[in-house]
Amino acid sequence: MSEEEMQALAQAQEAARKAMMIKKIGRRMSILMGITLSFCLSLLGNLTSGHFTLSGFLISFAASTLISLIIGFLVPIKKVGDGICNALHLKPRSLPAHCAESFLSDLIYTPVITLAMVALAWKMAAAHGAQMPFLPVFLHSLLLSMIVGYVLIFILMPVYLRLLMPRNA
């Protein structure tokens, strides 16, 4: 094997190693963000309902964590975020790019998690005889969850990324 072929092979191996590292970081980031968002939004939903119960919180947290993990593994958030930043001509790793990426993540995760939590809470309340209109409760919860979700994502995404990135990367 010639020296040029060896260099090409070494470059290909390095590129494959970097791709695997990025994929690993992405999976871990999805897990951390999913669990954090699920915990905070479940807590928020249960506290704002006026009827906080530990069992209600745990059921809500488990359901929303499962949903957020599925979303995190199915939707390539990093690729979608990079695509949005490119489409908007935003400089990577800039504040406007981070704002756009946070908003995009919030739009992907929060409505689905909120819908599931509100539907679950509504079903449990209806089973106990409560008469609640679903849509107003959902819209109020969605607005509050979108705001809290955005703030959490905006603050925690760079923190988690720093924790997950190897020191020499």
Side-chain angles (χ1 to χ4, degrees):
M1 189 180 285
S2 72
E3 190 172 320
E4 290 173 352
E5 291 173 328
M6 288 176 61
Q7 282 181 339
L9 180 61
Q11 288 175 346
Q13 288 174 336
E14 180 65 19
R17 187 187 68 75
K18 284 182 181 179
M20 289 295 290
M21 182 179 71
I22 289 170
K23 193 172 187 177
K24 188 177 180 181
I25 290 170
R27 280 192 304 259
R28 289 180 178 172
M29 186 73 147
S30 292
I31 292 168
L32 286 173
M33 289 302 296
I35 291 171
T36 303
L37 273 176
S38 295
F39 179 83
C40 292
L41 294 180
S42 295
L43 187 60
L44 175 72
N46 277 274
L47 289 174
T48 58
S49 73
H51 301 288
F52 181 85
T53 63
L54 184 59
S55 62
F57 167 73
L58 292 174
I59 291 168
S60 174
F61 176 56
S64 62
T65 298
L66 180 64
I67 291 167
S68 64
L69 291 177
I70 291 169
I71 292 169
F73 288 126
L74 292 180
V75 179
I77 298 291
K78 176 71 173 135
K79 286 182 183 179
V80 175
D82 289 347
I84 289 295
C85 290
N86 287 338
L88 297 174
H89 307 291
L90 300 175
K91 183 181 173 188
R93 297 186 199 101
S94 66
L95 182 60
H98 180 55
C99 290
E101 290 169 345
S102 297
F103 185 66
L104 178 70
S105 291
D106 194 28
L107 283 178
I108 292 171
Y109 280 95
T110 306
V112 178
I113 292 171
T114 303
L115 177 63
M117 289 188 310
V118 170
L120 186 64
W122 184 78
K123 186 174 181 177
M124 288 171 31
H128 289 95
Q131 298 291 325
M132 301 178 354
F134 179 80
L135 192 58
V137 172
F138 170 68
L139 292 176
H140 177 265
S141 295
L142 180 62
L143 177 65
L144 191 56
S145 295
M146 289 293 290
I147 294 167
V148 171
Y150 180 80
V151 170
L152 287 170
I153 293 167
F154 185 82
I155 292 170
L156 294 176
M157 192 185 309
V159 172
Y160 287 161
L161 194 56
R162 278 188 211 109
L163 288 173
L164 295 173
M165 289 295 286
R167 297 279 183 226
N168 57 359

